[in-house]
Amino acid sequence: MLSRLPDGFTALVTGASGGIGRAVVDALLESDRPGRVVGISRAGHTHPDPRFESLALDVGEPDGVAALEQALDTTPLHLVFNAIGMLHDERLGIGPEKKLDDLDAEAMSRLYHVNAITPALLLKALQPGLKGRHPAVVASLSARVGSIGDNRMGGWYAYRASKAAHNMLMKTAAVELRRLNPQVSVACLHPGTTDTALSKPFQARVPADKLFTTRFVAQRLLAVLDDCGPEQSGVFLDWAGEPVAW
């Protein structure tokens, strides 16, 4: 697992109580290589492994980001895995748009905030732990529907655009972070259709062999990251390690 990272490496996972985030935490702790795994979620959650540390905060809010900075201080980070994402919210009446008439400014702003702005501000906050000369991998969940080149079906305006913005922000951050630490690599990852709350309303037409378990996805994405060295920084890859068109 993540052979480029040192034994006893420190990992940070955001969205750690969600489907993929929790599975990534579990997969990391199944290995004896991590020395510390920090899970970030709004409510927090527990894990029996003593290497796990839960931080209950919202990195989408300034207070949460400030609390995260204070908790980590300048701790060197070797793996940052951002599993935060939003496609729909029944309580807020937010769902994928089918046509231009469905566009709503507040809903679009919310998806931009969660899917693009929050991951970028997270990297801003984590800079002290990423600077230096230590090997580090930054991974952030994207989606194939955020690919401009692959968009043939239309619809889902806000989600597509927010993920495209996410990809540009991560690609741009990869350039700067390489200057701050030549051993950093940044990857945008498409997990495939995963059996989580995010995809639940849209699973009916997904073939059984294309609906992945969170455990499978976590293991696959960590394997993909194992091949992401500094020379590949700024890539957009799917769960199988194949490049996704920007």
Side-chain angles (χ1 to χ4, degrees):
M1 173 187 287
L2 301 169
S3 57
R4 196 168 64 84
L5 302 185
D7 288 335
F9 67 81
T10 296
L12 182 144
V13 180
T14 61
S17 63
I20 294 177
R22 184 184 292 269
V24 168
V25 168
D26 290 343
L28 287 169
L29 292 173
E30 286 175 4
S31 168
D32 60 2
R33 298 207 61 240
R36 181 188 183 195
V37 177
V38 181
I40 311 254
S41 59
R42 283 177 293 183
H45 74 284
T46 61
H47 194 287
D49 195 303
R51 294 172 296 166
F52 180 71
E53 176 184 344
S54 177
L55 293 179
L57 49 86
D58 186 350
V59 294
E61 299 295 333
D63 289 349
V65 173
L68 175 60
E69 289 179 297
Q70 184 176 8
L72 294 176
D73 195 15
T74 58
T75 301
L77 294 173
H78 302 96
L79 172 65
V80 174
F81 195 107
N82 172 52
I84 294 173
M86 179 181 180
L87 171 58
H88 56 87
D89 188 316
E90 184 176 345
R91 181 178 60 85
L92 297 177
I94 296 175
E97 310 91 345
K98 295 182 179 179
K99 55 186 184 298
L100 285 168
D101 288 342
D102 295 336
L103 294 182
D104 176 83
E106 289 188 10
M108 294 179 76
S109 295
R110 180 61 182 161
L111 262 68
Y112 275 102
H113 179 78
V114 174
N115 295 332
I117 296 171
T118 293
L121 293 181
L122 176 67
L123 287 188
K124 175 185 175 182
L126 297 179
Q127 283 184 96
L130 294 171
K131 290 180 180 178
R133 298 287 171 177
H134 59 285
V137 179
V138 176
S140 191
L141 289 186
S142 185
R144 192 181 299 275
V145 295
S147 165
I148 296 173
D150 193 58
N151 184 358
R152 297 177 180 85
M153 297 184 65
W156 292 34
Y157 285 87
Y159 188 67
R160 287 183 184 276
S162 65
K163 287 299 187 180
H166 163 278
N167 293 346
M168 177 58 83
L169 289 165
M170 294 300 107
K171 179 79 171 180
T172 304
V175 175
E176 181 176 357
L177 289 174
R178 186 75 180 273
R179 301 188 193 116
L180 301 178
N181 182 346
Q183 294 300 311
V184 169
S185 61
V186 178
C188 300
L189 300 176
H190 166 61
T193 304
T194 312
D195 189 10
T196 64
L198 184 144
S199 70
K200 189 68 70 178
F202 315 101
Q203 293 179 5
R205 297 183 180 180
V206 179
D209 62 340
K210 296 297 184 181
L211 180 62
F212 302 142
T213 66
T214 55
R215 178 180 173 81
F216 172 81
V217 168
Q219 292 174 337
R220 283 303 312 148
L221 295 183
L222 289 172
V224 168
L225 293 177
D226 210 7
D227 294 327
C228 289
E231 61 278 4
Q232 287 89 32
S233 188
V235 293
F236 184 14
L237 303 172
D238 69 10
W239 58 272
E242 294 297 323
V244 181
W246 294 105

